[in-house]
């Protein structure tokens, strides 16, 4: 029989940018929105300007084809898309570019303000570091079956409302959904054994999370400031809750623990 017990909400004042109208400043991940326009022989592209706090490496021209810049992977056959330079809106990522199979996205849409919906094709195995970071108008995206890895900050600061992650995903890093202020529902993959630190930090619209059936660890600050969550069901496999895993989840009324 499942064990039911109530959880007293924290009394500390919660920082609520939605109510106050102020934005929470996170120095690690905020940088200047100014862009420097660079030209290559084939395409014009942009990259973040150094604001004095961080140094940004200028990616030397890899290879361009249509709307994408890409790098050849170590196998010499497949590629990683590293930059999108298209017009935005609703887009479908190609499964092949220049005759090469696309298997990974890395930093591809970082800080893109124009994309609103993205279809990711089967064959993409890795959604890497900051692939859709700060895509402030991105509301809808899919993760295809066969994808295995989602890197840190992959969807942070986006406007995604719902996410269903296929069971093929076995690795998810920290900060994947950091400050996704519109995110309401998430289904996690069964292959994940740890909810990484700060994965859902300050997702204050998040109401429903279906945890992996085999999860063992809920990481540090994993759900901190997710103030609309009312009930959490922890599988019987859970062995450890890291510090502040549910800190400032002020409306949690019940935790259901496995046998």
């Amino acid at each position: 029989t499942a064990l039911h017990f109530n959880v007293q909400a924290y009394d500390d004042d919660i920082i609520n940018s939605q109510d106050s109208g102020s934005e929470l400043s996170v120095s690690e991940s905020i940088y200047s929105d100014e862009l420097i326009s660079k030209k290559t022989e084939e395409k014009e592209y942009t990259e973040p300007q150094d604001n004095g706090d961080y140094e940004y490496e200028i990616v030397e021209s890899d290879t361009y084809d249509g709307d994408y810049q890409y790098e050849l992977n170590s196998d010499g056959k497949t590629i990683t898309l590293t930059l999108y330079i298209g017009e935005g809106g609703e887009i479908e990522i190609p499964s092949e570019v220049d005759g090469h199979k696309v298997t990974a996205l890395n930093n591809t849409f970082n800080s893109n303000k124009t994309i609103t919906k993205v279809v990711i094709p089967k064959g993409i195995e890795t959604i890497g570091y900051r692939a859709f970071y700060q895509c402030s108008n991105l509301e809808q995206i899919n993760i295809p079956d066969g994808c295995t890895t989602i890197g840190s900050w992959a969807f942070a600061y986006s406007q995604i409302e719902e996410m269903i992650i296929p069971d093929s995903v076995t690795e998810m890093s920290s900060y994947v959904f950091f400050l996704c202020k519109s995110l309401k529902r998430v289904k996690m993959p069964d292959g994940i054994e740890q909810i990484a630190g700060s994965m859902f930090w300050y997702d204050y619209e998040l109401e429903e999370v279906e945890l992996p059936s085999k999860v063992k660890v809920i990481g540090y600050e994993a759900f901190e400031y997710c103030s609309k969550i009312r009930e959490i069901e922890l599988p019987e496999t859970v062995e450890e809750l890291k510090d502040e895993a549910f800190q400032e989840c002020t409306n949690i009324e019940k935790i259901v623990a496995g046998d």
Side-chain angles (χ1 to χ4, degrees):
T1 304
L3 174 65
H4 298 258
F5 55 95
N6 292 326
V7 177
Q8 183 177 356
Y10 294 99
D11 293 328
D12 296 338
D13 292 335
I14 185 169
I15 302 171
N16 195 326
S17 64
Q18 184 182 38
D19 294 337
S20 66
S22 61
E23 289 293 332
L24 184 66
S25 175
V26 184
S27 59
E28 194 280 340
S29 57
I30 299 296
Y31 55 77
S32 172
D33 285 334
E34 295 181 26
L35 297 172
I36 300 175
S37 178
K38 304 287 290 184
K39 287 184 179 291
T40 68
E41 293 181 357
E42 299 179 71
K43 285 284 184 177
E44 178 179 313
Y45 67 102
T46 58
E47 64 185 346
Q49 179 178 348
D50 185 1
N51 67 358
D53 294 329
Y54 301 96
E55 293 182 358
Y56 294 91
E57 179 182 358
I58 296 176
V59 179
E60 297 297 335
S61 177
D62 297 322
T63 307
Y64 283 93
D65 182 82
D67 291 339
Y68 294 93
Q69 175 181 317
Y70 65 87
E71 295 176 343
L72 196 62
N73 295 332
S74 59
D75 61 8
K77 298 178 181 179
T78 61
I79 59 173
T80 296
L81 299 184
T82 57
L83 182 67
Y84 171 74
I85 50 178
E87 296 181 357
E90 297 184 4
I91 66 170
E92 183 172 352
I93 295 174
S95 58
E96 288 190 1
V97 173
D98 256 357
H100 299 287
K101 182 180 178 182
V102 179
T103 59
L105 308 173
N106 191 60
N107 215 46
T108 317
F109 297 90
N110 189 340
S111 300
N112 184 288
K113 311 299 182 186
T114 62
I115 58 172
T116 58
K117 178 181 178 181
V118 175
V119 176
I120 302 177
K122 286 187 176 182
I124 299 291
E125 300 171 0
T126 300
I127 299 173
Y129 175 74
R130 296 194 178 191
F132 297 93
Y133 177 83
Q134 284 195 339
C135 290
S136 55
N137 290 301
L138 177 60
E139 297 179 352
Q140 188 175 347
I141 193 169
N142 72 297
I143 299 178
D145 190 33
C147 180
T148 60
T149 304
I150 300 177
S152 59
W153 305 97
F155 303 104
Y157 295 95
S158 69
Q159 298 298 316
I160 296 169
E161 296 181 3
E162 183 174 9
M163 180 64 76
I164 299 174
I165 306 172
D167 289 342
S168 58
V169 174
T170 57
E171 181 180 348
M172 294 180 67
S173 300
S174 299
Y175 310 107
V176 169
F177 298 107
F178 187 93
L179 265 169
C180 289
K181 296 181 181 180
S182 298
L183 189 63
K184 295 180 179 179
R185 291 172 292 276
V186 176
K187 180 188 179 300
M188 297 290 286
D190 272 346
I192 296 292
E193 295 187 352
Q194 176 170 328
I195 306 298
S198 299
M199 183 174 289
F200 296 96
W201 194 88
Y202 215 84
D203 293 349
Y204 54 63
E205 291 295 327
L206 187 61
E207 298 174 352
E208 301 175 21
V209 180
E210 184 177 336
L211 295 176
S213 61
K214 300 177 183 179
V215 67
K216 295 180 180 179
V217 179
I218 310 295
Y220 176 69
E221 295 182 343
F223 293 94
E224 186 169 20
Y225 291 109
C226 293
S227 55
K228 285 197 174 181
I229 294 178
R230 294 186 176 275
E231 181 176 323
I232 287 287
E233 184 172 349
L234 298 179
E236 61 183 9
T237 54
V238 173
E239 300 172 354
E240 183 179 9
L241 295 179
K242 296 286 188 180
D243 290 346
E244 302 179 18
F246 295 99
Q247 179 82 4
E248 302 295 351
C249 292
T250 52
N251 287 306
I252 285 186
E253 299 173 351
K254 182 171 62 177
I255 290 181
V256 181
D259 293 338

